[in-house]
Amino acid sequence: MASNYLQGYDEARFAITVNQNFLCLICFNVLKEPVMCSRNQHCFCRACITKHLQNSQRCPTCADELTVETLAEPQRMVKDYLNELPIHCVHINRGCQEIVQLQHLDRHEATCGFTPAVCTNQGCGATVNKRDLIHHESEQCEFRKLKCHSCGETMKTLANMEKRIAHLETNMVAMETTMGKNMATNIAEMKTDMEEKLGAVNNDVRGLKTALIEGFDQMKDVLVKMEDRIKENTRKVRNTASGDKENIIVAGGDETGSVEIFNWSLKLWSPLQSMPKKRWGATSFLYNNHMMIAGGGCTGSGYVENMIRMNIDLNPDLSTHWNDCAVKLPAKLAYHSSVLYNNQLMVTGGCIESFNKTSDGIHEVQLVPPYAVKMLLRMPEQRQGHSTEIIDDNLLIFGGGTTQKSKDNLSSAVLYNLKTNECKQMVPLPYEVCDMASVRWGDNIVVIGGVGKDGNELDTVIMYNVKTEQSHMLPPMRCKRRGCAAVVIGNNIVVLGGMDEQGHDQKSVEAFNFESYHWEELPEMSQERSFHTVVVV
């Protein structure tokens, strides 16, 4: 017969079958806080035996005398067995699926989220799981307190809130009606204002259109004038070198006295009468319908100071002879440089044979009687194998070397003013160079080829702006050239001959076109040449 004392753990709550020796002999449930009679070791729940001893002072199993004070603790193995029994949470029917050891049951049930909890909202009293209490009270309970987002007032019930919302909706409808009327009025006023402003803008646009048309007409006139000026400048640039001339005469060179002429239109070379002697390192210029050749080295004579000339009034051919000229240089010179200025030949630097040294002089040689020679000024440095060009009243002198050794090459640039008889150092070239060719292109001097300070022949081409003293590189030549010659024909710089990197004189000719901006190979000369001289006729 089952006992009325239900103080132990219901056997059904355990996940395993519990040994019957660990059941309370009063409630027949699994022992809870076990104690025993000390003599026969009968085990009971503490609550069960305590309640029994209130009515009887004997063990309910063996009838030995027993009091609460004489109750004994069971053996340790009994406690260990009970502590490790797996038991379901008491709230399994509310959804808790936890199974814990009996020794941890109280701790789990104290924090179990499935413990029943009563809603605290006034008028509710619903029982929910403890873990759902906050959500129920704040979100689900119809008796929860709500706060209006418009006025901030806390409403006691959802019903009150619904009434308040209905009232707000009524007010909103009224406000929308009023706002609609006001907006219609404002839109009408804005439309009128916009139409007035649009009319003013249209008037401004019409005025601007008229002004633009007038401006475009003026700009068109300016562009036409600019185009005319560009054409004029192009003509001037071309006239500084060759104008409409289309024939190139090349004379002499290292170990040759031959002369030949190149027809630019036909791209054809033809021979002319050779010079009386082989001549190299000379300069040439056009004067009074004659090609003049000044100084240089001559076979059997060394360096010379004399000049020879050939008449080019008519188209020169093999019957046109060379004649001596009364004009002489200031010394026996080679590798000097010269330019024509009015009726004077301006001679700079050069190698002086009699003194075996390099000149630093700038001389004026009269081309009319009495053919006087005058020293104008000494350059800051001695120079030979350099370049000299003229722009207006200024001589532009570039590079060269203080000796015939490449290590003594110069990069310096000098401007000599013929009016003031003063020299000015300019921004130097970007590298040391000697035995190069040069031409004038507008306000620029183009320095071509030559030999560097390391003794290597160059294919570099540099354009030096005299006004800004800035330089930039043009595309390199197809061949490396030392002691080459160059002229300008139209939009082309034509470079002839020169010594290659193996030390061989070349026949090759190439031209740089400023419109296509690249070098083109031309028909080669009949004779290899270096340190020769050239003019355009």
Side-chain angles (χ1 to χ4, degrees):
M1 177 175 173
S3 170
N4 292 327
Y5 303 109
L6 301 177
Q7 299 296 325
Y9 297 103
D10 187 350
E11 190 176 357
R13 290 179 58 189
F14 290 88
I16 63 172
T17 302
V18 181
N19 191 308
Q20 297 298 307
N21 292 322
F22 295 91
L23 301 181
C24 176
L25 295 175
I26 296 176
C27 67
F28 298 105
N29 288 322
V30 178
L31 289 166
K32 183 177 183 180
E33 297 184 24
V35 291
M36 66 181 183
C37 65
S38 57
R39 181 177 179 182
N40 295 315
Q41 298 183 356
H42 296 127
C43 291
F44 311 96
C45 298
R46 181 180 292 277
C48 292
I49 191 63
T50 299
K51 191 168 185 179
H52 170 78
L53 292 176
Q54 291 176 357
N55 301 315
S56 173
Q57 299 295 310
R58 292 184 180 277
C59 174
T61 302
C62 64
D64 276 356
E65 289 186 1
L66 185 65
T67 64
V68 173
E69 289 76 13
T70 60
L71 288 172
E73 294 290 330
Q75 296 178 356
R76 182 174 180 178
M77 62 178 295
V78 174
K79 289 185 177 182
D80 289 345
Y81 176 80
L82 291 171
N83 284 338
E84 294 176 1
L85 287 175
I87 186 170
H88 286 279
C89 175
V90 71
H91 304 304
I92 186 172
N93 293 331
R94 299 189 64 84
C96 182
Q97 300 298 317
E98 288 290 329
I99 298 176
V100 298
Q101 288 183 340
L102 186 58
Q103 60 184 330
H104 302 312
L105 181 63
D106 290 342
R107 184 172 61 188
H108 165 73
E109 290 181 348
T111 59
C112 181
F114 292 89
T115 303
V118 179
C119 176
T120 60
N121 288 332
Q122 185 177 358
C124 180
T127 300
V128 297
N129 290 335
K130 183 169 68 174
R131 68 175 189 175
D132 301 325
L133 181 62
I134 295 176
H135 179 71
H136 169 79
E137 290 180 340
S138 61
E139 301 293 337
Q140 293 180 330
C141 181
E142 63 177 332
F143 295 96
R144 68 187 184 277
K145 294 181 180 180
L146 300 175
K147 186 175 183 179
C148 178
H149 291 290
S150 298
C151 64
E153 181 181 350
T154 300
M155 309 301 294
K156 291 184 178 181
T157 64
L158 182 61
N160 289 340
M161 178 62 79
E162 290 175 347
K163 291 180 181 179
R164 183 60 180 267
I165 291 174
H167 177 69
L168 289 174
E169 288 177 347
T170 302
N171 290 342
M172 287 179 65
V173 171
M175 290 176 64
E176 288 176 356
T177 302
T178 303
M179 289 177 64
K181 293 179 180 179
N182 293 338
M183 187 174 293
T185 302
N186 291 339
I187 289 175
E189 293 175 353
M190 290 174 62
K191 182 178 179 182
T192 302
D193 184 56
M194 288 292 292
E195 288 175 349
E196 293 176 355
K197 291 181 178 179
L198 183 60
V201 169
N202 287 335
N203 291 333
D204 291 341
V205 169
R206 282 191 289 270
L208 180 60
K209 183 178 179 181
T210 302
L212 285 173
I213 292 173
E214 294 175 354
F216 282 133
D217 290 340
Q218 294 175 0
M219 187 178 295
K220 184 177 179 181
D221 294 338
V222 171
L223 290 174
V224 170
K225 292 178 181 178
M226 287 179 63
E227 185 176 358
D228 292 341
R229 180 167 293 182
I230 290 171
K231 291 179 180 179
E232 176 65 17
N233 288 340
T234 301
R235 184 188 63 79
K236 288 181 179 179
V237 167
R238 292 180 177 178
N239 287 344
T240 59
S242 64
D244 297 326
K245 301 173 183 178
E246 290 192 342
N247 294 307
I248 302 172
I249 298 179
V250 58
D254 195 16
E255 298 302 322
T256 182
S258 67
V259 182
E260 51 189 314
I261 186 170
F262 181 73
N263 186 292
W264 178 260
S265 298
L266 301 177
K267 299 294 188 290
L268 179 67
W269 285 100
S270 301
L272 294 178
Q273 184 67 246
S274 295
M275 294 182 291
K277 292 183 178 182
K278 297 177 182 179
R279 190 180 290 239
W280 65 93
T283 60
S284 61
F285 58 97
L286 295 177
Y287 182 70
N288 286 345
N289 295 322
H290 284 78
M291 177 180 179
M292 311 282 290
I293 296 182
C298 288
T299 302
S301 302
Y303 294 174
V304 296
E305 60 186 350
N306 73 319
M307 297 187 192
I308 59 174
R309 62 184 180 179
M310 178 177 65
N311 192 318
I312 57 170
D313 187 24
L314 301 175
N315 291 331
D317 54 27
L318 285 171
S319 64
T320 306
H321 294 279
W322 291 89
N323 299 302
D324 289 332
C325 178
V327 185
K328 296 186 181 299
L329 295 178
K332 294 181 178 181
L333 289 175
Y335 309 112
H336 54 289
S337 186
S338 66
V339 293
L340 187 64
Y341 180 69
N342 298 329
N343 289 319
Q344 303 152 347
L345 185 67
M346 314 308 298
V347 181
T348 62
C351 183
I352 305 173
E353 182 183 52
S354 59
F355 297 102
N356 192 26
K357 70 173 187 178
T358 303
S359 171
D360 61 359
I362 300 176
H363 290 85
E364 173 189 280
V365 178
Q366 295 287 341
L367 299 177
V368 294
Y371 309 119
V373 176
K374 178 182 178 182
M375 163 71 81
L376 298 178
L377 193 70
R378 294 192 181 278
M379 296 180 289
E381 298 151 312
Q382 300 172 342
R383 294 175 193 269
Q384 60 174 297
H386 56 290
S387 292
T388 304
E389 300 291 340
I390 187 167
I391 297 181
D392 299 328
D393 296 318
N394 298 302
L395 297 185
L396 290 309
I397 305 166
F398 293 93
T402 57
T403 70
Q404 292 185 347
K405 297 179 180 179
S406 299
K407 67 180 182 65
D408 297 321
N409 286 359
L410 301 170
S411 62
S412 58
V414 175
L415 183 148
Y416 171 68
N417 187 282
L418 292 163
K419 295 291 187 183
T420 63
N421 195 35
E422 293 177 343
C423 265
K424 168 193 169 185
Q425 288 279 11
M426 302 176 69
V427 174
L429 298 173
Y431 52 87
E432 295 85 357
V433 62
C434 185
D435 299 337
M436 67 286 201
S438 68
V439 295
R440 175 186 171 186
W441 184 263
D443 291 326
N444 302 280
I445 306 301
V446 183
V447 179
I448 305 160
V451 61
K453 194 168 186 176
D454 56 3
N456 292 326
E457 284 70 20
L458 303 175
D459 57 4
T460 51
V461 182
I462 186 169
M463 178 174 279
Y464 186 102
N465 187 281
V466 176
K467 291 185 176 180
T468 65
E469 300 185 28
Q470 300 295 310
S471 58
H472 69 273
M473 304 298 292
L474 295 180
M477 294 183 290
R478 300 162 66 93
C479 300
K480 295 182 178 181
R481 301 177 186 273
R482 175 183 184 179
C484 58
V487 293
V488 172
I489 292 186
N491 287 328
N492 303 278
I493 297 176
V494 183
V495 183
L496 307 96
M499 188 183 300
D500 64 17
E501 57 266 43
Q502 282 79 39
H504 301 143
D505 292 347
Q506 302 179 79
K507 297 180 180 180
S508 67
V509 181
E510 56 184 305
F512 178 76
N513 184 273
F514 278 94
E515 293 180 358
S516 63
Y517 213 71
H518 78 278
W519 290 91
E520 177 185 0
E521 189 173 359
L522 295 178
E524 62 183 22
M525 300 177 289
S526 61
Q527 176 73 49
E528 297 89 351
R529 302 179 191 274
S530 65
F531 299 102
H532 47 295
T533 186
V534 63
V535 295
V536 178
V537 297

